[in-house]
Amino acid sequence: MTKSSFPLLVIGAGLAGLTAALAAAPRRVVVLSTGPLGQDCSSAWAQGGIAAALSQGDEPAFHAADTVAAGAGLVDPEMADILTREGPDAVRALASLGVPFDRDKDHGFAQSLEAAHSRPRVARVKGDQAGHEILRSVIAAVRACPSIEVLERTAVRALVQDTSGRVRGALVEQNGQIQTILADAVILAAGGLGGLYDVTTNPHSLRGEAMALAALAGALIADPEFVQFHPTAIDIGLDPAPLATEALRGDGARLIDAEGQPFMGRHHPLADLAPRDVVARAIHEQRLKGQGAFLDARQAIGDHFPEMFPTVFAACMGAGIDPRLQPIPVATAAHYHMGGVWTDADGRTSLAGLFAAGECASTGVHGANRLASNSLLEAAVFGARAGRAAALEAPADPACAILPTQSAPALPDGVIKDLRGAVGLYAGVTRDRQGLTQLLSLIDGMEGRYGPALPLIAARLVASCALMRKESRGSHSRSDYPQTDAVARRTLTTLSQLLANAPIKVAAE
Ligand code: SIN
């Protein structure tokens, strides 16, 4: 087995990982990408844009207040303050890399409205192409940065630790060969777990691997039960499901049932622009009752659809739906993981040598329900903070020997399909004790047969913590515990605590 050594190892090449690598310069970094750079990462698929207080009359404090309100009592206000205060500069930094943000008539950032924002605050790029365009510019900067090396088409099989427990690198597979890459610090930025669900808007290769790698190494995991479901994935039977961005509703598109009647007014005073968890539950209920859910953009957007929302337009037309003339059939889909590897504001995890940023991290900034378009912002702000902090990490004590490391086992395709179906059914928009218990016994059986594969570890964290949270809050909705507890508590646990059935430590916000 070959061995190489770098000051910094970044696992993941979405916006958080690449921003971290750029922020760490001139420290030498190796970045691992699962596919060719820019593919297989959720950041590149983001449509709506990046939220930041960039317009006259808006302030980071207003953005922070909306972030806190959407998060259903679980947002850490200090993290929301950092995100929203550093947000405008993070967007300006992306613009200076060449991201062609849409501009208003005074050459300011054009700002659009999305659900649960108290004012238009989302900077868009070429209509609905924010993720793609942001990644394009950031990748160009990474390619031009002499301190960054990128290894494409790699898969991380385990984190490497030393006798002190410090994370010292990773076992990495490339072209069928396993190699060890050692580093003074490792930044996990390998995305979320949408691909654990049978209906998702994320690349389905993302099945919670980053959280599972950290959990197997003993890291503290926070709030894994909080999975956000996007209310308006386009229901045309594709896997992954194409997204119909929330910006459509911000621009006036309305949700209607199969009879053409609007229904969101029954669920929330903000109707179609209610927080995402509320809209997702309403759509889920409509569909369960057989009443259908459609996004009607005929009046509000009409003939402007192709230039305003080219990505959504192409997805619809590809399925024979002309959104200028027909309502778009929509369904909920796993979209974003608020939980993940616990970190502080600089991306430090509970394990020495290990940092995390982006969707796989849980700073507490999203609480129980992320505010729309805060995810690209989180990747940019907290990715940069993690990169700067990790670049200062001192080398490990050479007296601590590297421990032998086992690669996590792989799962056959058929087992992954069964797992995705079960996670979607039992840990989806609504959950209950019976379903979650059934899911856990299925995971036990699969783990007994195939060993601790990373998707099984991630699914176990979600299901066990969803079972233990006996309330409904934000994206976590228990039909057997519909109440919201008076005191909001984060889940903080380790995998070994869960496996030992130990009581989970919770921290009040
Ligand atoms: C969307 O465009 O609706 C998705 C944006 C987000 O998930 O924040």
Side-chain angles (χ1 to χ4, degrees):
M1 192 190 300
T2 60
K3 229 183 221 177
S4 52
S5 184
F6 286 82
L8 263 181
L9 167 63
V10 176
I11 300 173
L15 183 59
L18 297 182
T19 305
L22 287 168
R27 199 99 200 263
R28 227 156 57 82
V29 183
V30 61
V31 176
L32 306 181
S33 172
T34 47
L37 207 46
Q39 289 180 22
D40 277 347
C41 67
S42 303
S43 316
W45 293 15
Q47 291 184 2
I50 181 162
L54 288 157
S55 57
Q56 279 279 328
D58 199 3
E59 288 178 20
F62 302 155
H63 184 188
D66 291 346
T67 299
V68 169
L74 271 188
V75 171
D76 180 333
E78 199 185 316
M79 297 295 173
D81 179 58
I82 291 171
L83 179 78
T84 55
R85 243 184 324 102
E86 296 184 10
D89 277 349
V91 176
R92 286 189 275 266
L94 289 169
S96 73
L97 291 182
V99 178
F101 283 99
D102 295 348
R103 298 290 175 164
D104 60 19
K105 60 179 178 6
D106 304 318
H107 204 64
F109 291 92
Q111 300 265 273
S112 63
L113 184 64
E114 289 188 15
H117 285 274
S118 54
R119 63 196 67 223
R121 180 184 288 135
V122 179
R124 273 154 67 166
V125 192
K126 296 188 180 174
D128 59 9
Q129 298 178 59
H132 175 77
E133 289 295 324
I134 288 174
L135 257 273
R136 206 153 66 90
S137 296
V138 172
I139 286 171
V142 163
R143 296 262 191 230
C145 181
S147 58
I148 302 175
E149 181 173 333
V150 179
L151 294 184
E152 293 174 301
R153 298 185 174 84
T154 54
V156 175
R157 299 297 180 210
L159 295 177
V160 172
Q161 288 170 282
D162 67 18
T163 48
S164 74
R166 177 174 173 145
V167 172
R168 297 281 297 273
L171 282 192
V172 179
E173 186 175 338
Q174 192 182 32
N175 302 324
Q177 305 288 317
I178 299 273
Q179 56 172 312
T180 303
I181 299 182
L182 296 179
D184 296 333
V186 174
I187 302 178
L188 264 179
L193 49 61
L196 272 183
Y197 286 79
D198 53 350
V199 184
T200 180
T201 59
N202 300 169
H204 47 55
S205 54
L206 293 176
R207 301 185 186 118
E209 287 82 357
M211 177 175 71
L213 286 165
L216 284 168
L220 197 57
I221 302 298
D223 299 334
E225 65 273 32
F226 290 112
V227 177
Q228 183 170 71
F229 299 88
H230 200 289
T232 58
I234 307 174
D235 186 20
I236 46 177
L238 289 182
D239 177 26
L243 184 67
T245 174
E246 217 158 87
L248 283 154
R249 276 175 284 136
D251 281 354
R254 290 290 160 261
L255 287 162
I256 56 171
D257 63 17
E259 308 285 309
Q261 295 306 310
F263 56 83
M264 275 312 302
R266 292 201 299 273
H267 296 271
H268 198 277
L270 290 173
D272 296 88
L273 291 176
R276 194 172 278 181
D277 58 326
V278 176
V279 185
R281 277 192 294 280
I283 288 184
H284 184 66
E285 189 186 305
Q286 282 289 121
R287 290 170 53 88
L288 282 181
K289 289 197 297 204
Q291 292 169 348
F294 299 83
L295 189 59
D296 185 358
R298 289 173 295 181
Q299 264 216 320
I301 295 156
D303 286 345
H304 299 292
F305 214 118
E307 78 268 7
M308 284 176 72
F309 298 98
T311 310
V312 182
F313 186 71
C316 290
M317 294 300 278
I321 297 161
D322 185 338
R324 293 168 297 192
L325 308 173
Q326 293 163 273
I328 306 165
V330 291
T332 57
H335 183 63
Y336 185 86
H337 193 205
M338 277 75 70
V341 187
W342 176 89
T343 74
D344 70 9
D346 290 320
R348 272 196 188 79
T349 71
S350 61
L351 297 180
L354 184 66
F355 294 73
E359 190 173 346
C360 69
S362 183
T363 57
V365 76
H366 305 304
N369 178 47
R370 176 177 61 85
L371 185 66
S373 289
N374 265 358
S375 52
L376 288 177
L377 187 68
E378 172 198 35
V381 167
F382 289 104
R385 292 177 75 94
R388 288 193 296 267
L392 299 174
E393 195 75 349
D397 178 355
C400 296
I402 302 284
L403 293 169
T405 311
Q406 288 274 327
S407 276
L411 290 177
D413 288 348
V415 176
I416 288 179
K417 183 167 182 286
D418 291 348
L419 177 68
R420 294 181 72 200
V423 173
L425 184 63
Y426 298 127
V429 175
T430 56
R431 299 134 177 217
D432 64 19
R433 192 183 73 79
Q434 201 188 349
L436 291 165
T437 310
Q438 213 156 320
L439 176 57
L440 280 166
S441 66
L442 184 98
I443 294 168
D444 284 341
M446 288 175 171
E447 211 175 305
R449 253 170 296 141
Y450 302 102
L454 300 176
L456 294 177
I457 301 295
R460 179 182 294 289
L461 285 160
V462 173
S464 306
C465 295
L467 185 62
M468 274 178 259
R469 185 173 286 276
K470 296 190 172 75
E471 63 163 345
S472 293
R473 179 181 296 280
S475 66
H476 170 75
S477 175
R478 287 277 302 250
S479 56
D480 46 354
Y481 291 99
Q483 89 294 342
T484 302
D485 292 350
V487 179
R489 293 173 192 283
R490 294 190 72 188
T491 301
L492 295 173
T493 186
T494 62
L495 183 61
S496 48
Q497 274 177 308
L498 275 189
L499 293 173
N501 260 333
I504 290 187
K505 193 174 143 208
V506 286
E509 275 308 328

